[in-house]
Amino acid sequence: MISRYSRPAMTAIWSAETRYRIWFEIEAHATDALADLGVVPPDAAAALWRWWATNPVIDVAAIDAIEAVTKHDVIAFLTWVAEQVGPEARFMHQGMTSSDVLDTCLAVQLARASDVLMNDLDQLLVVLERRAREHKLTPTIGRSHGIHAEPVTFGLKLAQAYAEFDRCRTRLRHAREEIATCAISGAVGTFANIDPRVEAHVAARMGLAIEPVSTQVIPRDRHAMFFATLGVIAGSVERLATEIRHLQRTEVLEAEEYFAPGQKGSSAMPHKRNPVLTENLTGLARMVRGYVTPALENVALWHERDISHSSVERYIGPDATITLNFALGRLTAVVDKLLVYPERMQRNMDRMGGLIHSQRVLLALTQAGVSREDAYRLVQRNAMRVWESDGALSLQALLASDAEVTAALSSAEIASNFDLEYHFKQVDAVFERVFGSAQ
C-alpha cells in the first residue's frame, strides 16, 4: 500500500518483522506443547524462549537472502532462527506444515487489524453522535431521486449514518470472531504427525479459536466473509461521502468540508473550494470493494490445499485493511469539522414555493371526504404551476384560490398544513431508537 494512504498502527501489523515475530511465537508455543507431550526435549522450547528473551533484531534481509536460495519462505525463516538459537532449534516445526504457520499468522494479523478498524469505527460513531445531536432539529430538505421531497433534519441524516456504521461495527466484530482461527494440523490436516493438543495450546496462547477441519489450510470462506465485511463498510463510507459531496455543490451548499487557512482548491481558479476529501474517500471505497471478489474466488481451492490464494492474500490482506483504516480516519475528521449552513438549508427549502408540503394537503383533502384520486389531481395541478414557475408562485396561495380545494378546506385549514415543525414531531423517538436517548 502506498504511504499516502497509510497509517502507522495498521501498517505495522503487516510489516515483515511483525510477520516473522508472529511466526516465531507460533513455532515456539507449538514446541512448548510438544515438550509437554514428551515429543521433543524440554530444552528445545526453553532454548527458543531464552533467545527470544534477548529481544533479538529480526534480520529480514538475511531471511530474504536464504529464501532466494530455498525458494521457500517458511524454510528460510526456520533456517535463520536455527542459526541464531543453535542445535535445539532442530525440534521446531515437528509434525507441522507451512500452512500451519502461514494461516495462523494471517489469522492473528487480521484479528489485530480488526481491532484497529473497530477502534476507528468507535471514533467515527462518537463524532457522528455529537454532530447528530448538535443538529437534531436543524431543518433541511429530504431528497428522493435528487429532488426535493419533504423536510427532515440534518441531525436525522447523521443519525442514519450512525446507525449504519453501528451495524458495520457489529458485522466486523462477527467477522473478527470468524477469522481469528488457528490451524496446527500438519500435512492435509489429519494430525497424523502432530497431536491436536498442540493446536489447542497454540490457539490459546495466540488468542484464537480452533479450526474444526483445516484440510491443511484454513477454509477460505472465513476470509471471504471477512473481506466482504470490509467491502460493506467501505460502501457505507462512500454513502456518507457522496452525501457530503452533493451538499457541497455550489447550487446546494448546505454543508461543506472544512477549508483550512492557506488551502488551495484549484491550480487555475482561486475561488474553488472542492470536496476533495470526500471524493478521495469515494475512490478509496472502490479499492476496498475491489478486494472482495478475489477473496471470494479464493474459496475454491484444489483438494486439501493449493497456493492460488497465497499471492492474492499477500495483496489484499494489507491493502484492504490499510486502505479502510485510512478512509475511516479521514471520514471521522471530515464529519468532525464539517461546516454546516442552516440558513442555506432553510433557503433551499423555501425556494420551491411550499411544494414540500404537498402530501399534507393531499392527506387533509382525503380526511375532508375527497377521494384520493381527486385530492391528488387537485394538489398536483396547483403544484405543477409552482414547479413551472420555479418557485415564484406559492402553493398555499394557489390552493386557497382553487374553488375545488376550498370546497373541502378553508384557508385556515390549508395554511395549517404548511407548518414546518409538523415534520419533526417524531425526531426524539428516532433518536431514542438510535442512541438510546433523545437528549
Side-chain angles (χ1 to χ4, degrees):
M1 189 64 207
I2 63 174
S3 59
R4 185 181 184 93
Y5 303 127
S6 303
R7 300 165 79 192
M10 185 65 86
T11 55
I13 292 171
W14 299 102
S15 71
E17 181 171 350
T18 296
R19 181 173 70 253
Y20 290 138
R21 288 186 177 278
I22 297 170
W23 285 10
F24 177 84
E25 291 177 12
I26 293 167
E27 294 281 4
H29 287 310
T31 307
D32 273 338
L34 289 166
D36 290 341
L37 293 170
V39 177
V40 304
D43 286 349
L48 292 175
W49 290 116
R50 280 197 302 271
W51 172 70
W52 196 242
T54 66
N55 193 26
V57 173
I58 304 297
D59 193 339
V60 175
I63 298 170
D64 288 346
I66 298 170
E67 185 182 352
V69 177
T70 63
K71 313 300 183 185
H72 195 291
D73 52 358
V74 175
I75 291 175
F77 172 74
L78 293 171
T79 300
W80 179 80
V81 172
E83 292 173 353
Q84 316 308 308
V85 175
E88 294 90 345
R90 72 184 185 278
F91 295 105
M92 275 197 307
H93 209 67
Q94 291 281 309
M96 295 170 61
T97 188
S98 298
S99 292
D100 292 335
V101 179
L102 297 172
D103 280 11
T104 301
C105 175
L106 181 58
V108 171
Q109 289 174 300
L110 291 176
R112 291 179 182 177
S114 299
D115 292 338
V116 173
L117 293 172
M118 284 194 285
N119 182 64
D120 292 336
L121 286 167
D122 287 340
Q123 294 182 49
L124 176 58
L125 289 169
V126 168
V127 171
L128 282 170
E129 180 174 359
R130 175 173 59 81
R131 298 308 305 267
R133 292 189 182 280
E134 176 187 349
H135 291 286
K136 184 175 78 167
L137 294 175
T138 300
T140 190
I141 187 63
R143 297 174 173 88
S144 56
H145 307 279
I147 308 301
H148 283 202
E150 291 192 348
V152 297
T153 74
F154 194 66
L156 283 175
K157 284 178 176 279
L158 296 177
Q160 180 281 318
Y162 178 98
E164 184 169 343
F165 281 106
D166 190 46
R167 292 192 296 274
C168 285
R169 193 189 189 287
T170 299
R171 294 186 188 107
L172 182 58
R173 177 170 54 81
H174 291 311
R176 186 200 187 283
E177 292 172 0
E178 190 168 357
I179 202 64
T181 306
C182 172
I184 308 289
S185 55
V188 300
T190 61
F191 295 100
N193 294 301
I194 193 163
D195 193 294
R197 287 174 288 180
V198 176
E199 180 182 66
H201 178 83
V202 174
R205 293 298 184 274
M206 303 301 292
L208 303 173
I210 294 170
E211 176 56 52
V213 183
S214 60
T215 73
Q216 188 162 328
V217 295
I218 294 174
R220 258 47 194 181
D221 62 293
R222 294 182 181 274
H223 303 73
M225 181 57 70
F226 180 85
F227 288 102
T229 298
L230 300 191
V232 172
I233 297 172
S236 296
V237 168
E238 184 174 7
R239 180 181 183 186
L240 182 52
T242 299
E243 176 72 13
I244 293 170
R245 289 171 61 194
H246 169 74
L247 296 179
Q248 188 163 337
R249 291 169 56 195
T250 304
E251 58 270 30
V252 179
L253 201 56
E254 295 176 358
E256 67 172 334
E257 295 173 11
Y258 176 74
F259 198 78
Q263 184 175 341
K264 304 294 186 291
S266 165
S267 63
M269 296 168 282
H271 73 277
K272 295 296 292 297
R273 290 167 63 127
N274 301 326
V276 291
L277 300 179
T278 45
E279 288 175 340
N280 169 256
L281 287 170
T282 298
L284 294 177
R286 292 170 184 168
M287 293 302 299
V288 176
R289 288 197 302 274
Y291 301 126
V292 176
T293 297
L296 291 169
E297 292 177 347
N298 276 354
V299 174
L301 301 180
W302 283 16
H303 306 300
E304 277 60 53
R305 80 153 300 185
D306 68 47
I307 64 165
S308 60
H309 64 284
S310 176
S311 56
V312 173
E313 289 167 356
R314 290 175 192 266
Y315 279 104
I316 69 175
D319 283 8
T321 55
I322 290 171
T323 304
L324 187 56
N325 169 239
F326 181 88
L328 288 170
R330 170 154 287 181
L331 182 60
T332 300
V334 167
V335 176
D336 183 45
K337 303 181 75 174
L338 188 69
L339 303 176
V340 180
Y341 303 121
E343 298 82 4
R344 184 59 178 259
M345 292 176 178
Q346 185 66 54
R347 198 181 320 147
N348 285 343
M349 278 194 297
D350 293 341
R351 73 170 302 272
M352 290 305 289
L355 289 182
I356 59 178
H357 301 288
S358 69
Q359 181 180 190
R360 286 204 66 201
V361 181
L362 166 67
L363 297 177
L365 285 168
T366 61
Q367 291 290 324
V370 181
S371 72
R372 180 175 176 83
E373 291 72 19
D374 284 343
Y376 197 103
R377 174 180 56 81
L378 294 175
V379 176
Q380 187 182 43
R381 77 182 180 193
N382 287 284
M384 290 304 99
R385 291 181 62 191
V386 177
W387 181 277
E388 289 160 6
S389 76
D390 195 26
L393 297 175
S394 162
L395 178 61
Q396 181 181 340
L398 290 178
L399 291 168
S401 63
D402 186 317
E404 285 190 82
V405 174
T406 55
L409 297 174
S410 67
S411 294
E413 288 172 327
I414 293 171
S416 69
N417 291 294
F418 285 77
D419 174 22
L420 187 63
E421 296 302 316
Y422 168 88
H423 295 274
F424 309 142
K425 62 180 182 293
Q426 300 297 346
V427 170
D428 280 351
V430 175
F431 267 58
E432 287 177 6
R433 286 181 173 184
V434 175
F435 302 116
S437 70
Q439 301 305 318

